[in-house]
Amino acid sequence: MSDDSTRDAAESDGDDAPDAAGVPDATEPTDGDDTEHRAFWADSVADEIEARDPEEPIVIKGGVSPSGVAHLGNFNEIMRGYFVAEVLRERGREVRQVFTSDDKDPLRKLPRKLADTEGNIVGLGDVDAGALGRNLGKPYTAIPDPFGEADSYAAHFANLLKADADRLGVPVEMISNTELYADGAFDPVVERVLSDIENARAVLSEYQRKVDGEYVPFNPVCGECGKITETVTDIDPDAGTVDYVCTDLTVGDETIDGCGHEGTATFREGKLPWRFEWPGQWQVLGVDFEPFGKDHAEGSWPSGEDIARSVLEIEPPVPMTYEWFTLNGEALSSSAGNIVTVPEILELLEPEVLRYFFALDPRKARNLDLSRLDQLVDDFDRFERAYFGGVDDETLTAFAERAYPFVVEEVREERVRLPYTFAAVLGMTDDREVRVEMARNEGHFAEDTPEWAIEEALERVEKARAWAERMDNAYNYRLQVEMPDVHLESDVETALDELADFVDAGHDGDEIQGEIYETAKRHDLEVSDLFGAGYRLFFDQPQGPRLGEFLGDLDRTFVVKRLRRAE
RNA sequence: GGGCCGGUAGCUCAGUUUGGCAGAGCGUCUGGCUUUUAACCAGACGGUCGGGGGUUCAAGUCCCUCCCGGCCCGCCA
């Protein structure tokens, strides 16, 4: 176990992310006054926040170290916070949702994966790794963007995260931790911690054994080499400075060399260690609610809560632990390549389905199985129907009544949802008219279905098509525009010619489907042989969707020509 | 080793606060759609609610204990 920890620590910054469910403490009512059960967890959290009679705007926070790839796990905090924010706004509260980029943290190790400006995941080999290596130990904001576009390494990843939040329609305000120090917002916190250092040590030592009488909870940035240092030799709270020596920094079994410089730094030229910095953020930003992954639940939350009360003398925010989700059954890990980004998953799903995923109970550990996205979409569709009263399930309906309006951008009952796997079938052809016709035949579109609803419904076809291709699953068939290279027995060819005549005479899909059986029978063929030939001709595969009905929706001339094997 | 969270049908999940018949969707199977061919319809099958013990008229739900998984109890965040 401890062996692993080295590896894990190596990329702990971002990677292993959080996932899905949450901790109960968080949603437990304060002091047992009113224990009203809520169908939507965000209502329970909102109750708890309101019970504190908070000043407005109510501040909801999340945060992450901008270490490498912004992946879906990082969105737990943003999405969980979003639902609580929306519930409070609905109750007439003014809410500010912020997300800190903890970008004064030092780059401790070279990431194995990065995300470029478009959010695509790339390897370290695609950037100047040597340049990055020389910046080990410096704050992320002091390191150039490896892709050369943003102001810094930190800004690059903060921009990606912000872009993803925009894609999901979450109005989150990004805050640079470095800036909080630079503009003096953190001054009172640092001053408090360092002037009351005996107390600070005493409190933290309850949680961290390493804390001793020499421990100084402040890490200056070296004025010479720019790296975060660990050795403070003197503190002058009145002057607001510390003296330091730029010593080596040990990270796991690696050492980042210090330059030996001896200097003096102001409270703005350095940072607090995380255990103090987190509570400091609560104070500086006036945080009322913060969701966090279960890794914090037994570590930094208890100490942070204590530091907030005992050192900073502030009330910590309402907490909520969420469980992590797994991706395809495995922990999220960028180094292992088990990662999905927001843009990636939005190629496969509508944003509202993804929001739905995060509206589910945060306490439950979930698995996001890309090969079974149809299940997630089906669940969403059912959830949506429940909102409109179409599902005989009290619990689901109660949940949907509360959560659904926050999941969709706009509540519109006339909206049409094509079942995801059916959408994948429609994705076998690019012809929009064929898609619409097939959907009509299946009863998904009615005569009076408005054009906007058809447009929206068809957007799912593109998602489902991308899914079928990416998973290379049972729906990954493609109508062949060019005649495939097929070899057929002569009796099969004869049968196909007859079938072509039948189609040419003008029959609908059902009739064609029936005629395939009849034709096979007449020619003493195995039905499967004739179907097989059809699938070869149209899909260049041995199998496919219900053939007759599919052909009935295609252009008749095309179908006839293809059945006759004409180029 | 200690602590926290999770474990309900093959899969994805409700239900656990406040004890009251074990649930849904999907999948599977069977049947239907004049006819084995993945879209549609109906029905059926499917459960030791992780195991064991306890409390109770009654336990998925409460208590004890054990198993499995994740996390924390070093550093860092």
Side-chain angles (χ1 to χ4, degrees):
Chain A
M1 245 221 184
S2 53
D3 291 340
D4 297 338
S5 68
T6 304
R7 192 202 66 212
D8 293 343
E11 60 173 4
S12 65
D13 317 305
D15 258 357
D16 317 297
D19 239 61
V23 170
D25 314 311
T27 47
E28 271 169 25
T30 357
D31 297 335
D33 28 356
D34 55 324
T35 46
E36 193 179 351
H37 173 67
R38 295 293 198 164
F40 185 27
W41 55 269
D43 272 311
S44 303
V45 175
D47 288 350
E48 201 178 347
I49 294 168
E50 287 199 307
R52 297 178 168 205
D53 199 16
E55 284 180 29
E56 296 189 35
I58 294 171
V59 177
I60 291 175
K61 186 180 107 61
V64 72
S65 188
S67 58
V69 178
H71 59 71
L72 196 57
N74 298 329
F75 275 79
N76 260 305
E77 278 168 50
I78 289 177
M79 295 308 299
R80 267 56 233 224
Y82 167 74
F83 287 116
V84 174
E86 286 294 289
V87 164
L88 287 167
R89 287 181 184 121
E90 187 195 49
R91 296 183 186 184
R93 300 287 189 162
E94 190 189 338
V95 181
R96 181 179 178 218
Q97 187 180 357
V98 302
F99 196 79
T100 58
S101 176
D102 295 335
D103 52 14
K104 199 149 191 181
D105 302 343
L107 175 66
R108 329 190 92 248
K109 196 171 193 327
L110 290 180
R112 295 173 205 181
K113 304 280 182 183
L114 296 163
D116 67 16
T117 308
E118 282 73 47
N120 303 308
I121 295 174
V122 301
L124 198 53
D126 294 314
V127 299
D128 186 346
L132 260 189
R134 287 189 289 279
N135 285 311
L136 284 174
K138 292 184 190 173
Y140 290 114
T141 37
I143 300 172
D145 174 11
F147 301 95
E149 296 189 19
D151 289 344
S152 68
Y153 187 103
H156 171 78
F157 290 108
N159 291 345
L160 288 178
L161 206 63
K162 172 63 176 160
D164 287 350
D166 290 345
R167 288 183 176 99
L168 288 174
V170 177
V172 64
E173 185 184 333
M174 297 295 296
I175 292 181
S176 162
N177 207 44
T178 297
E179 285 177 21
L180 290 181
Y181 282 103
D183 65 19
F186 254 113
D187 282 353
V189 179
V190 179
E191 191 182 321
R192 181 56 172 270
V193 169
L194 294 185
S195 61
D196 197 12
I197 191 165
E198 293 297 334
N199 184 36
R201 286 173 182 146
V203 173
L204 186 60
S205 66
E206 296 289 316
Y207 306 90
Q208 292 194 332
R209 287 174 210 163
K210 281 242 168 137
V211 175
D212 57 19
E214 304 299 307
Y215 178 78
V216 177
F218 190 73
N219 302 107
V221 174
C222 177
E224 192 68 28
C225 70
K227 292 176 183 173
I228 298 280
T229 67
E230 288 190 318
T231 308
V232 171
T233 52
D234 193 32
I235 303 168
D236 187 342
D238 296 328
T241 60
V242 301
D243 295 336
Y244 63 90
V245 182
C246 185
T247 51
D248 292 353
L249 188 64
T250 304
V251 180
D253 48 0
E254 306 275 324
T255 298
I256 299 173
D257 295 335
C259 70
H261 176 69
E262 297 183 21
T264 301
T266 69
F267 290 171
R268 301 182 186 186
E269 296 166 335
K271 74 184 292 292
L272 293 165
W274 166 248
R275 293 284 178 125
F276 288 94
E277 188 171 75
W278 198 26
Q281 291 174 332
W282 299 338
Q283 176 178 328
V284 169
L285 299 170
V287 179
D288 296 292
F289 170 63
E290 177 146 12
F292 46 84
K294 64 174 181 177
D295 53 336
H296 288 324
E298 292 296 309
S300 23
W301 169 252
S303 70
E305 191 180 22
D306 200 355
I307 286 167
R309 293 206 174 96
S310 308
V311 179
L312 305 182
E313 295 179 341
I314 61 165
E315 188 60 20
V318 171
M320 184 183 83
T321 309
Y322 55 83
E323 262 289 347
W324 291 356
F325 63 86
T326 51
L327 177 64
N328 302 325
E330 302 286 339
L332 272 68
S333 163
S334 60
S335 63
N338 199 45
I339 281 298
V340 65
T341 64
V342 168
E344 276 180 322
I345 200 154
L346 287 182
E347 289 175 10
L348 311 178
L349 297 173
E350 294 115 317
E352 51 267 42
V353 178
L354 190 53
R355 286 198 289 256
Y356 161 76
F357 179 73
F358 286 112
L360 297 171
D361 190 346
R363 288 171 297 188
K364 295 282 194 157
R366 277 165 218 287
N367 180 34
L368 181 63
D369 187 344
L370 295 185
S371 71
R372 299 314 317 275
L373 279 187
D374 55 310
Q375 288 191 342
L376 179 62
V377 179
D378 284 347
D379 284 351
F380 166 80
D381 289 351
R382 193 172 134 83
F383 163 76
E384 182 171 66
R385 269 183 278 119
Y387 175 79
F388 294 110
V391 177
D392 182 22
D393 183 326
E394 273 182 42
T395 309
L396 176 63
T397 301
F399 170 60
E401 277 172 359
R402 285 302 297 146
Y404 180 73
F406 307 123
V407 165
V408 289
E409 278 187 42
E410 189 184 355
V411 175
R412 302 180 84 168
E413 187 161 13
E414 319 77 44
R415 187 141 36 199
V416 173
R417 300 289 184 186
L418 300 173
Y420 194 71
T421 53
F422 178 63
V425 171
L426 298 192
M428 294 176 191
T429 169
D430 287 330
D431 190 320
R432 182 184 184 282
E433 289 315 307
V434 172
R435 289 176 176 179
V436 172
E437 198 51 40
M438 291 173 78
R440 278 193 195 286
N441 292 343
E442 282 300 319
H444 294 298
F445 297 150
E447 279 312 308
D448 59 351
T449 300
E451 192 55 33
W452 67 261
I454 292 177
E455 267 325 298
E456 275 196 23
L458 289 178
E459 285 172 21
R460 181 174 284 180
V461 175
E462 302 303 331
K463 313 282 186 190
R465 175 67 208 160
W467 172 71
E469 288 181 5
R470 174 160 173 175
M471 295 298 122
D472 191 22
N473 60 16
Y475 298 92
N476 190 16
Y477 295 104
R478 200 92 181 116
L479 181 65
Q480 299 297 303
V481 177
E482 300 296 323
M483 171 78 179
D485 185 19
V486 292
H487 303 283
L488 301 167
E489 301 296 323
S490 63
D491 49 353
V492 172
E493 294 195 323
T494 310
L496 287 169
D497 288 335
E498 280 187 27
L499 192 59
D501 293 341
F502 183 84
V503 172
D504 200 21
H507 292 91
D508 68 20
D510 280 342
E511 292 168 327
I512 296 170
Q513 179 75 4
E515 184 62 16
I516 296 173
Y517 290 91
E518 294 300 331
T519 306
K521 202 176 296 177
R522 279 200 304 276
H523 291 270
D524 203 24
L525 289 170
E526 290 294 328
V527 172
S528 58
D529 288 344
L530 190 51
F531 272 106
Y535 289 128
R536 276 286 165 212
L537 283 173
F538 288 93
F539 297 101
D540 199 20
Q541 294 289 326
Q543 292 184 320
R546 269 171 93 87
L547 190 58
E549 290 154 43
F550 195 93
L551 297 185
D553 288 318
L554 299 178
D555 177 73
R556 185 179 301 160
T557 311
F558 168 79
V559 173
V560 170
K561 274 182 66 177
R562 181 60 52 85
L563 287 172
R564 289 177 176 150
R565 286 91 59 209
E567 296 295 328

